Amino acid sequence: MKRLLTLLSVAVLSYSTLSSAAPTPFEYKDLRKGVSEKKMRSIYSLINHSSDNLHEVRFAILNAMSQTKGTPWLLEREGDGYILARWDYKGHAIIHRIEYDDKAVQIKYDGGVNDYKCELLVDNYCYKTHRNYYKYNISLVKQLRKTLGSI
């Protein structure tokens, strides 16, 4: 029960961390304390698509979240131009704000619980957290590319 309350409080707090939803090109900052640029770009780079129908893009994102390898991502909340997605595994959680518009989709870090709390957050991109964070996110990125490529 305590873990659930922690997850819920992180989700509520994270909901207010970003006011506008708009994919923006990821610019890596060499902080010498974080993870490599290659790993960062593999998660946070724009995922372009060719649909001008935002409902279709939204549906593709939700579809990708449910089809990731292993534990699926869950819809936590959504708003105009974004979906708040949560991934839970053995008491740990990652919360992402997946932003989209008529040209692209982008993942931004919005919170974490236990091992996936961000130790170095810059411009809504997590530069330092648990080493498996990037592995678990690659599955989501692959599914997003696949579903967005088919619309």
Side-chain angles (χ1 to χ4, degrees):
M1 183 66 170
K2 185 178 178 183
R3 286 184 183 152
L4 178 60
L5 291 174
T6 303
L7 282 172
L8 292 174
S9 64
V10 168
V12 170
L13 289 173
S14 66
Y15 176 68
S16 62
T17 60
L18 294 169
S19 58
S20 64
T24 53
F26 171 68
E27 293 181 28
Y28 180 78
K29 294 178 176 42
D30 187 3
L31 304 171
R32 307 227 188 271
K33 295 178 184 179
V35 72
S36 72
E37 181 175 359
K38 181 180 178 181
K39 284 186 178 181
M40 294 288 292
R41 288 196 182 284
S42 71
I43 306 300
Y44 300 123
S45 290
L46 292 175
I47 302 170
N48 295 313
H49 63 80
S50 58
S51 177
D52 57 358
N53 182 335
L54 291 181
H55 296 293
E56 192 174 54
V57 173
R58 177 188 167 274
F59 182 74
I61 294 168
L62 293 172
N63 192 25
M65 288 168 47
S66 70
Q67 293 183 8
T68 57
K69 181 179 176 182
T71 305
W73 289 75
L74 305 172
L75 173 65
E76 184 72 20
R77 177 174 292 147
E78 64 182 307
D80 191 28
Y82 74 92
I83 292 173
L84 206 59
R86 188 183 80 236
W87 179 86
D88 296 307
Y89 184 70
K90 295 184 179 181
H92 307 280
I94 300 168
I95 302 165
H96 281 316
R97 184 172 164 122
I98 303 173
E99 299 182 355
Y100 60 94
D101 63 15
D102 60 344
K103 293 183 176 29
V105 171
Q106 184 180 38
I107 294 173
K108 293 184 180 174
Y109 182 89
D110 202 58
V113 175
N114 294 330
D115 283 351
Y116 297 107
K117 288 180 186 171
C118 187
E119 298 174 34
L120 183 57
L121 183 67
V122 179
D123 299 330
N124 304 308
Y125 306 112
C126 186
Y127 281 79
K128 187 174 182 186
T129 188
H130 192 277
R131 69 184 179 275
N132 289 338
Y133 171 84
Y134 303 94
K135 177 176 78 171
Y136 293 130
N137 282 288
I138 285 298
S139 178
L140 176 60
V141 172
K142 284 181 181 178
Q143 284 301 317
L144 285 168
R145 290 188 189 286
K146 182 178 177 182
T147 59
L148 291 165
S150 67
I151 58 172

